[in-house]
Amino acid sequence: DPNEDTEWNDLLRHFGILSPKEKLQDEPEEMVLHLQKEAEKPYERKNLEELREDEDDLDEADRKAIEMYRQQRLQEWKCLQRRQKYGELREICGEQYVKEVTNAPEDVWVIIHLYRPSVPMCLLVNEHLSLLARKFPEAKFLKANVDSCIQNYQDRCLPTILVYKTGEMKGRFIGAAECGGRDLQVEELEWKLAEIGAIETDLEENPQKDILNMTSSVWNISAHEDVSTKSCDVMKPRVA
């Protein structure tokens, strides 16, 4: 019997005298499991339009599963749209402050830098924020010439970085010392914003940990309700 599984037949097959054994009808168990798994959720390989076209041919359980999957895809699409919406440090003026900052979407962190071009450290902060805006496109990074927002704002209060979410100020850095000093590195600024919660950094430790005692209270807003509030009133931008 040429199909019999014997050493002699194996030898004849080796020399090409007999044809290879016919493939058994039953697939190996792992192949069957793989095919079953592939057939379980064919909708995961389809786009939203294809899902809508196939919906009439599905039972109730499949429709529920597809609806859940559709909602997941919609959320992913919305997140992608949001990430594409930001990703740069944009310039605004005082008239746009309420729209761009206070009335920003509730789930979006807004980082705005009030600057004056004549202050050297303001230019450095703008460079760093431009880099961070590209690295964290889910957050909205803005800059505004302080003269378009607040009257008679003093140079000693610059740079001023304000952090908002849901229309409320969550943190602020006022003046060169609080922003990190004239030798500020982009990683230090990234860490500061991450501690507030505005971004999710991949840094494992504070780049400026050796002088942490100098900046430990920067994001505690209540600590600034005395002299800073009187001399550097950033709570009331001028709106035309």
Side-chain angles (χ1 to χ4, degrees), residues 89 109-113 129 139-143 161-164 193 198-199:
L89 178 63
W109 284 90
V110 181
I111 299 98
I112 180 166
H113 174 213
L129 290 178
K140 181 190 283 191
F141 286 81
L142 304 170
K143 63 180 179 178
I161 301 174
L162 309 178
V163 183
Y164 286 83
L193 296 176
I199 57 177

Side-chain angles (χ1 to χ4, degrees), residues 118-149:
S118 59
V119 177
M121 190 174 173
C122 286
L123 303 180
L124 176 64
V125 169
N126 277 339
E127 291 180 6
H128 291 342
L129 290 178
S130 292
L131 295 175
L132 294 177
R134 290 195 291 271
K135 183 175 180 180
F136 302 99
E138 66 278 5
K140 181 190 283 191
F141 286 81
L142 304 170
K143 63 180 179 178
N145 190 319
V146 70
D147 295 327
S148 73
C149 301

Side-chain angles (χ1 to χ4, degrees), residues 66-81:
I66 286 180
E67 181 58 29
M68 292 178 60
Y69 183 67
R70 178 186 291 148
Q71 293 301 321
Q72 176 185 338
R73 292 286 296 273
L74 285 173
Q75 290 300 319
E76 292 173 354
W77 180 81
K78 288 179 181 179
C79 288
L80 178 61
Q81 289 295 103

